[in-house]
């Protein structure tokens, strides 16, 4: 059940997405155009810093509220939803692991939507095996010198504040530290913008560090805890990515239902064929179970009973559902579903990467299986 505030959030966002995002959605997808003014307007409405405490310019709401908002926003744009999701994750990292100076310096502009946050873990040779990353941060008298590169960074080039994981110590997870690196810092540049199947409005770029000096005060906590910071942040990020899957799938079902009720073949609406009814019933059921998992994972997180297994389950289930439901929705529309006359082909393209980002769905299964084994070992 949604509470009164969440119902209000949905109605505000529904109006916003229909008036401000939907009219440009198709053209911006083709042009691969991100509109900073849309993000800022989301900020003005309070949607870019929902879980950040009010003391640091946020709204101080829960992860359940954030997931509710992301479900609604994703019905029109996965790209803006993911920009909000990752920027919120960056804020949660700074809020949880940053000191007071770091919080005061970075959180207000991220929370207000004046700036975007990005998360830089992946490298060309360190994807699923994130602990093998090679970017180095060498300690000197003036601070840390970063060298290396990060790939597939969501909001790369449009973000102002980057959380960058780099190696300060030996091999493995224990040698990794987390730094806040600002756009414009000498030695920090961007590589090419990726050409992608979906998420076209959200830019994805490489980050390049060439003798980039980052002051010691930009390190989060201390040397060696960067991997844990990244993993615990992904526990939340995975829940919000799951909620984006739910919103996308919900919209796809809505489009498929409307079409199935209207479209006539063999002198009746195609909905009247039981084959389609069964497809639509399965789609609705999968969406509902995904929503419940996402909501439960967010609830446990809000209650500080963070359950990594459930977060991975929520991401796995909701994003596999988004892929299945958008694919089936295209099938229900048939030929027109494959054209850009309807938004479903875009939704199907946008769904695919949800199964890959913030840990592939195979990695989610690894996490779930490890936790499962742990329950039997103890
Ligand atoms: N929260 C806090 N600490 C965590 C953690 C979490 N969720 N997950 C792992 N850790 C800690 C472990 O406790 C361990 O610490 P100790 O050595 O002190 O016990 C350390 O981190 C290393 O953990 P682990 O041995 O499990 O690391 P692995 O190298 O086996 O990696 C996986 C684990 C595969 C789960 C991890 O690399 C992963 O999630 N990969 C996918 C990366 C990803 O999501 N990339 C997307 C980037 S954003 S698009």
């Amino acid at each position: 059940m949604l509470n009164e505030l969440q119902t209000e959030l949905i109605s505000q966002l529904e109006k916003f997405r229909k008036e401000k995002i939907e009219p440009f959605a198709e053209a911006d997808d083709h042009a691969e155009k991100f509109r900073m003014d849309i993000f800022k307007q989301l900020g003005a409405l309070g949607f870019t810093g929902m879980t950040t405490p009010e003391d640091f310019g946020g709204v101080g709401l829960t992860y359940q509220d954030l997931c509710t908002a992301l479900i609604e926003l994703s019905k029109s744009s996965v790209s803006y939803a993911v920009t909000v999701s990752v920027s919120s994750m960056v804020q949660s990292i700074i809020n949880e692991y940053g000191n007071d100076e770091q919080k005061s310096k970075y959180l207000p502009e991220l929370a207000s939507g004046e700036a975007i946050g990005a998360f830089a873990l992946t490298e060309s040779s360190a994807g699923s095996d994130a602990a093998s990353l090679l970017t180095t941060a060498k300690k000197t008298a003036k601070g840390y010198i970063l060298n290396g590169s990060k790939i597939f960074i969501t909001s790369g080039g449009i973000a102002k504040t980057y959380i960058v994981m780099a190696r300060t110590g030996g091999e493995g997870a224990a040698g990794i530290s987390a730094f806040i690196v600002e756009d414009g810092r000498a030695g920090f540049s961007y590589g090419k913008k990726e050409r992608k199947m979906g998420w076209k409005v959200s830019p994805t770029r490489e980050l390049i560090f060439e003798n980039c000096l980052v002051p010691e005060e930009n390190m989060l906590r201390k040397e060696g805890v960067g991997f844990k910071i990244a993993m615990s942040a992904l526990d939340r990020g995975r829940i919000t990515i799951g909620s984006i899957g739910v919103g996308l799938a919900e919209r796809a079902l809505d489009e498929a239902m409307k079409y199935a009720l209207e479209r006539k073949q063999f002198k009746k609406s195609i909905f009247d064929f039981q084959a389609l009814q069964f497809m639509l019933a399965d789609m609705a059921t999968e969406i509902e179970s995904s929503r419940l998992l996402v909501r439960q994972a967010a609830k446990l997180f809000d209650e500080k009973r963070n359950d990594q297994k459930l977060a991975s389950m929520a991401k796995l289930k909701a994003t596999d559902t988004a892929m299945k439901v958008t694919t089936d929705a295209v099938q229900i529309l048939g030929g027109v579903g494959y054209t850009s006359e309807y938004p479903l082909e875009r939704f199907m393209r946008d769904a695919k990467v949800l199964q890959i980002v913030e840990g592939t769905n195979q990695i989610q299964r690894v996490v779930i299986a490890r936790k499962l084994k742990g329950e039997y070992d103890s």
Side-chain angles (χ1 to χ4, degrees), residues 119 121-122 127-131 173 227-228 231-232 234-235 238 308 357-359 363 367 370:
F119 179 80
L121 176 66
T122 303
S128 290
D129 184 7
F227 189 76
K228 289 184 186 182
M231 288 298 119
S232 77
L234 283 172
D235 288 345
R238 287 168 182 168
Q308 212 190 334
V357 289
E358 307 225 353
I363 286 295
V367 172
R370 282 187 186 181

Side-chain angles (χ1 to χ4, degrees), residues 302-333:
D302 286 332
E303 291 169 357
K304 306 215 179 321
R305 295 191 284 145
N306 192 13
D307 186 328
Q308 212 190 334
K309 186 176 81 176
L310 210 65
S312 282
M313 285 177 169
K315 196 269 182 184
L316 169 65
K317 177 73 186 166
T319 61
D320 277 355
T321 295
M323 192 68 247
K324 174 89 172 78
V325 167
T326 53
T327 307
D328 286 350
V330 168
Q331 188 70 21
I332 287 170
L333 267 73

Side-chain angles (χ1 to χ4, degrees), residues 243-305:
S243 66
I244 293 173
V246 172
L248 182 61
E250 231 179 73
R251 173 75 190 279
L253 173 63
D254 182 49
E255 294 287 334
M257 271 303 296
K258 285 188 205 149
Y259 188 86
L261 290 168
E262 266 173 27
R263 169 79 173 165
K264 294 208 165 33
Q265 288 289 277
F266 305 102
K267 298 194 174 59
K268 55 183 180 179
S269 77
I270 59 171
F271 181 83
D272 290 334
F273 292 96
Q274 202 179 42
L276 263 72
Q277 289 176 13
F278 280 15
M279 269 173 95
L280 288 155
D282 283 348
M283 288 155 80
T285 307
E286 293 295 295
I287 293 171
E288 208 45 45
S289 41
S290 301
R291 188 203 319 281
L292 292 171
L293 257 179
V294 164
R295 214 179 265 164
Q296 182 64 7
K299 181 170 181 284
L300 290 181
F301 181 78
D302 286 332
E303 291 169 357
K304 306 215 179 321
R305 295 191 284 145

